[in-house]
Amino acid sequence: MPRAGLSRSGWAGFAIAGLLALGVSAYAARYPIVGPPAFAAGLRDSFLRHPWAIYVHAGFGAVALGVGFIQLNPAIRSASYGLHRWLGRAYATAAILGGAAGLYLAPYADTGPIAATGFGLLAVLTMLTTAAGWIAIRSRRVAAHRRWMIRSYALIFAAVTLRIELPLLIMAFGDFVPAYRIVAWLCWVPHLLAAEWWLRCAGARMPPELGGAAA
């Protein structure tokens, strides 16, 4: 989670990630209206068969992606706890509803069980980490809450890397099917590993009230 002590390069990376998150959030919100982009034409059948699930997944996923990044900004948390709390409610609701729709859609992946399992597990972990963060803050366990929400947003951020990786993988393999099977795992597993590494490193340096307590 970004802190005031970040280096200049750290803040630059944070800003770039924010622009990507907000950009993809706005872009994903178009999916229910215009359908998948040209490079992901293999998804078109799923859009046609399950339109309302796509509306929920894309719409709430876009909200979670945008609001979640705003929640990571320490200036907003410090400026208004009330705003942070209400945005947190919006994030948790959007993440869980978007994850539920993603779980519903996962078995219908046209590329088979490998992609279905990858996206299904992503959906389950998104809902579980978000719910754990919500339960933690309701119990006033602030450190645990922050750790679970970092994990949750690491999974939500898969929406960004998927849209970067998928067209590159399609170009590399020359086919949508193997690319989609790989991206179903590649878009989120490295995120979760990186989040766990960061939490362990940062937790060793921070007092419990700032996030060092184990979750």
Side-chain angles (χ1 to χ4, degrees):
M1 186 171 295
R3 295 174 292 144
L6 277 178
S7 65
R8 185 174 299 178
S9 60
W11 277 112
F14 183 64
I16 291 171
L19 290 174
L20 288 171
L22 295 176
V24 170
S25 176
Y27 184 70
R30 298 172 61 246
Y31 273 33
I33 301 171
V34 302
F39 68 78
L43 300 176
R44 194 167 302 279
D45 288 344
S46 292
F47 275 61
L48 295 174
R49 289 196 303 266
H50 311 285
W52 287 107
I54 292 293
Y55 296 159
V56 173
H57 182 61
F60 283 108
V63 171
L65 185 61
V67 172
F69 183 80
I70 295 172
Q71 288 289 81
L72 291 180
N73 191 319
I76 293 177
R77 293 198 310 274
S78 301
S80 175
Y81 174 74
L83 177 62
H84 177 72
R85 182 175 60 186
W86 280 103
L87 288 177
R89 290 171 178 170
Y91 171 81
T93 301
I96 290 174
L97 290 177
L103 182 60
Y104 170 80
L105 289 167
Y108 299 105
D110 292 332
T111 54
I114 295 176
T117 303
F119 286 123
L121 189 55
L122 170 60
V124 169
L125 290 175
T126 297
M127 290 187 289
L128 288 177
T129 54
T130 304
W134 177 263
I135 292 170
I137 199 60
R138 296 292 294 176
S139 304
R140 300 184 184 276
R141 293 182 290 118
V142 176
H145 165 72
R146 291 180 178 176
R147 294 171 70 90
W148 282 116
M149 285 307 185
I150 287 171
R151 295 176 180 122
S152 171
Y153 194 71
L155 295 166
I156 289 289
F157 203 76
V160 173
T161 47
L162 182 146
R163 286 161 180 80
I164 296 172
E165 293 168 349
L166 184 55
L168 296 176
L169 288 168
I170 291 173
M171 287 190 291
F173 287 95
D175 188 6
F176 174 81
V177 173
Y180 200 60
R181 288 171 177 167
I182 292 172
V183 85
W185 297 87
L186 187 62
C187 71
W188 66 270
V189 172
H191 289 194
L192 195 55
L193 294 175
E196 289 298 328
W197 174 83
W198 190 92
L199 286 169
R200 288 180 181 275
C201 292
R205 297 192 301 268
M206 291 189 291
E209 66 271 16
L210 293 181

